[in-house]
Amino acid sequence: MIYIILSICCSVTVAILLKLAKRYQISIIQAVTVNYFAALTLCFFFFKPDIKLLNSTAPWPIYTALAILLPTIFLFLAASVKSLGIVKTDIAQRLSLFIPILAAYFIFKEDFNDLKIIGLAIGFTAIFLTFLRKSNPDQKTGNLIFPVMVFIGFGAIDVLFKQIALYKALPYTTSLFTVFCMAFVVSLIIVTVMTISGKIKLQLVNLACGLILGFFNFGNILFYLKAHQALAQNPSTVFAAMNLGVIIVGTLIGVLVFKEKLTKVNYIGIIMAIAAVVCITLSQNAVR
């Protein structure tokens, strides 16, 4: 369980760093670019990817889609944390697991049991209640696009990573390293264009923040994979503990540390989100 705890801590720390970025005037796109450089470097040393195995038959279209999606959704993640806080952003990210579940049903024709259907119904209700709020002239309704994009984007990323995992001709860690490399290139192109156009100014503080962000971002992945290896016979335990842990810890940090305001309806939504994860986890056990 230590790996699950460490993975949860890393995941929530990423959200905290993004929350603090506004306070210290950090350029998110610069930090994200350095983040992927740090992640691919750590991936190279920890996983020893065999890049010689890469060839024309590798799933390059999926690699390319992920390379574009990862930095893009990271920016939406940062914008969501900035405008709506850690609590609601973490809920949106964790409930994005419904997208690969729906893809499994509609695309891969997987059978659904009653528990999974109940979990989906509760989950979508939780999404609505979590983001429901009283009208406030100081808040823009358009800000809701950020968690919506986080929800859709992370769901799509999960589906694509699952497709990579099914590609047995290459080790998963080699594919992961390749995706990080390509995501770094995409981010670097964006930073270069924005710098030349004068929209941003390169600063060393963004380099430092990016390295820290990359360390925790990679730590989340590393410990999550190690948790699955340590609990190979109980993958649903890892799944449930990770998602529930991030929701609960993220909520506590957001409310207690950053004083994020939630309504009673929002709290009901959070409880329903937890119930949805539990139902889906139990549904996986029922299938086995």
Side-chain angles (χ1 to χ4, degrees):
M1 292 296 290
I2 185 63
Y3 291 131
I4 296 176
I5 294 172
L6 289 172
S7 184
I8 291 170
C9 290
C10 287
S11 179
V12 175
T13 300
V14 168
I16 292 173
L17 291 172
L18 294 175
K19 179 79 173 180
L20 294 173
K22 178 184 177 181
R23 182 182 301 176
Y24 296 101
Q25 298 182 326
I26 301 298
S27 169
I28 296 298
I29 185 58
Q30 290 183 54
V32 167
T33 302
V34 178
N35 151 76
Y36 284 118
F37 176 76
L40 72 88
T41 302
L42 290 169
C43 186
F44 180 81
F45 284 109
F46 276 91
F47 296 142
K48 302 293 190 296
D50 191 352
I51 56 177
K52 293 179 182 178
L53 296 175
L54 292 169
N55 51 46
S56 58
T57 62
W60 291 105
I62 298 178
Y63 290 165
T64 303
L66 281 169
I68 295 171
L69 271 174
L70 282 172
T72 303
I73 296 305
F74 219 128
L75 295 178
F76 278 110
L77 181 69
S80 182
V81 170
K82 176 182 175 182
S83 62
L84 291 177
I86 293 174
V87 178
K88 296 183 178 183
T89 301
D90 275 341
I91 296 288
Q93 183 178 350
R94 292 300 146 186
L95 290 185
S96 67
L97 62 93
F98 295 139
I99 292 180
I101 289 174
L102 291 174
Y105 180 77
F106 289 106
I107 299 175
F108 304 110
K109 307 302 180 183
E110 180 183 315
D111 291 331
F112 274 28
N113 55 31
D114 292 341
L115 270 175
K116 187 166 287 188
I117 294 172
I118 292 171
L120 287 171
I122 294 174
F124 283 117
T125 305
I127 293 171
F128 174 75
L129 295 178
T130 302
F131 296 111
L132 190 66
R133 58 184 180 182
K134 298 177 181 178
S135 59
N136 186 335
D138 295 329
Q139 293 179 322
K140 298 180 180 179
T141 305
N143 286 345
L144 289 177
I145 190 64
F146 299 136
V148 169
M149 290 305 297
V150 168
F151 174 77
I152 296 173
F154 274 100
I157 288 169
D158 197 8
V159 171
L160 292 172
F161 269 123
K162 279 181 170 58
Q163 289 299 296
I164 288 178
L166 293 174
Y167 187 77
K168 302 301 182 182
L170 278 173
Y172 181 77
T173 50
T174 299
S175 292
L176 185 64
F177 175 75
T178 305
V179 169
F180 280 155
C181 287
M182 294 175 68
F184 170 66
V185 172
V186 170
S187 300
L188 190 61
I189 291 172
I190 295 174
V191 168
T192 302
V193 171
M194 293 181 72
T195 302
I196 293 175
S197 63
K199 293 183 178 180
I200 61 173
K201 182 179 179 181
L202 298 179
Q203 294 178 304
L204 285 177
V205 65
N206 299 314
L207 172 63
C209 184
L211 290 174
I212 297 171
L213 192 64
F215 174 81
F216 285 105
N217 195 20
F218 177 77
N220 177 28
I221 296 170
L222 174 64
F223 294 126
Y224 186 67
L225 291 176
K226 283 188 173 293
H228 272 295
Q229 291 173 347
L231 298 170
Q233 303 302 316
N234 297 286
S236 58
T237 300
V238 179
F239 171 86
M242 182 64 192
N243 286 284
L244 292 174
V246 170
I247 291 174
I248 294 170
V249 175
T251 299
L252 291 174
I253 295 293
V255 173
L256 299 178
V257 178
F258 292 102
K259 310 300 180 183
E260 294 177 7
K261 302 297 183 182
L262 297 176
T263 65
K264 291 180 180 179
V265 173
N266 294 153
Y267 280 114
I268 293 173
I270 292 170
I271 293 171
M272 292 186 72
I274 294 173
V277 173
V278 171
C279 284
I280 291 175
T281 303
L282 292 175
S283 75
Q284 291 179 328
N285 289 333
V287 172
R288 295 180 188 281

